[in-house]
Amino acid sequence: MRFLCSSSRTISLLSIVSSVLSNKTIIGGAYSAAGYLISVMQTVAVLEVLHGAIGIVPSGFLSPLMQWSGRTHFILAIVGQINEVQDSPWLAITLVGWCIGEMIRYPHYALTCLGRCPYWLTYLRYTGFIIIYPTGLVGELLIMYKALPHVKERNLYANFFSVFPFSYYQFLWAVLLVYPFLWLKLYLQLFKQRKSKLGKAEKHHGKRKRM
């Protein structure tokens, strides 16, 4: 599963880069080149949430659920339904950030399980997020904000939200307001993990060098 996800992210990234190089611009092309594959693999990533819930992996349930639901809502409910945001350069930047992050995370997990993870990959895993995550956050917020007038104009998901005392437009505004605070919780949690994981990796690496 993780090998498949890592491979799909690599293919997606190469497709986006190829599109940018052929079009000679970052505006447009990213979603048409890799949007479908990213959407499918992001949906399938719900298995990671289930794995955490039943204890197969030590990541827990809440943090993977928050990340999965946020990204899945973004790519399926917003980007996939509103053509006007698909050509945004910020979407290309966001998708590239997602791909790079997962291309680091999945191999790190697999090699750690095998006890063969090199220190440089652990360092990259717990350092790369410092830049990748804020970039993704800004991109997602800007895309959601850009989508608002189109959501309102089309009364998107009106049937589904008819049972609630608010519309999807109002819901999306609430998401925009709450999203940074939920994201910050995950971001700070990764910094705690970084200190712990790098400390352990340094000790292990030092022992292997002395041997």
Side-chain angles (χ1 to χ4, degrees), residues 15-198:
S15 298
I16 293 172
V17 171
S18 175
S19 174
V20 170
L21 292 176
S22 62
N23 295 327
K24 297 181 180 180
T25 177
I26 197 173
I27 300 175
Y31 185 79
S32 59
Y36 178 76
L37 180 58
I38 291 175
S39 298
V40 170
M41 296 313 300
Q42 179 56 44
T43 304
V44 172
V46 71
L47 292 175
E48 289 190 39
V49 180
L50 298 177
H51 291 165
I54 62 180
I56 295 178
V57 294
S59 58
F61 171 72
L62 185 58
S63 293
L65 176 63
M66 289 171 62
Q67 186 175 55
W68 176 83
S69 58
R71 286 187 173 186
T72 304
H73 168 253
F74 173 81
I75 196 69
L76 294 183
I78 298 175
V79 177
Q81 301 300 318
I82 302 175
N83 295 335
E84 288 82 357
V85 304
Q86 294 176 3
D87 290 335
S88 170
W90 275 106
L91 178 61
I93 292 170
T94 300
L95 296 183
V96 166
W98 284 12
C99 291
I100 293 174
E102 301 304 277
M103 286 166 60
I104 296 171
R105 189 167 69 91
Y106 288 123
H108 172 266
Y109 175 82
L111 291 174
T112 298
C113 289
L114 295 172
R116 298 285 183 177
C117 188
Y119 176 76
W120 65 265
L121 184 55
T122 300
Y123 184 83
L124 191 60
R125 165 71 178 95
Y126 290 101
T127 302
F129 80 89
I130 296 174
I131 297 174
I132 293 172
Y133 276 38
T135 304
L137 172 71
V138 172
E140 289 175 45
L141 290 177
L142 288 174
I143 293 297
M144 284 191 280
Y145 183 78
K146 184 178 180 181
L148 281 169
H150 304 290
V151 170
K152 186 176 183 179
E153 179 184 352
R154 300 171 194 174
N155 197 16
L156 207 61
Y157 308 120
N159 290 336
F160 178 82
F161 277 84
S162 63
V163 298
F164 300 105
F166 51 84
S167 65
Y168 179 66
Y169 174 77
Q170 293 168 322
F171 170 78
L172 190 55
W173 261 117
V175 170
L176 273 170
L177 295 174
V178 173
Y179 206 71
F181 298 100
L182 296 177
W183 173 88
L184 184 61
K185 177 181 173 63
L186 295 174
Y187 194 56
L188 295 177
Q189 185 176 337
L190 278 173
F191 271 102
K192 291 180 181 179
Q193 290 182 6
R194 182 178 190 272
K195 184 177 179 180
S196 172
K197 298 292 185 180
L198 291 186

Side-chain angles (χ1 to χ4, degrees), residues 5-22:
C5 288
S6 181
S7 300
S8 69
R9 299 299 188 181
T10 303
I11 294 170
S12 297
L13 179 61
L14 291 175
S15 298
I16 293 172
V17 171
S18 175
S19 174
V20 170
L21 292 176
S22 62

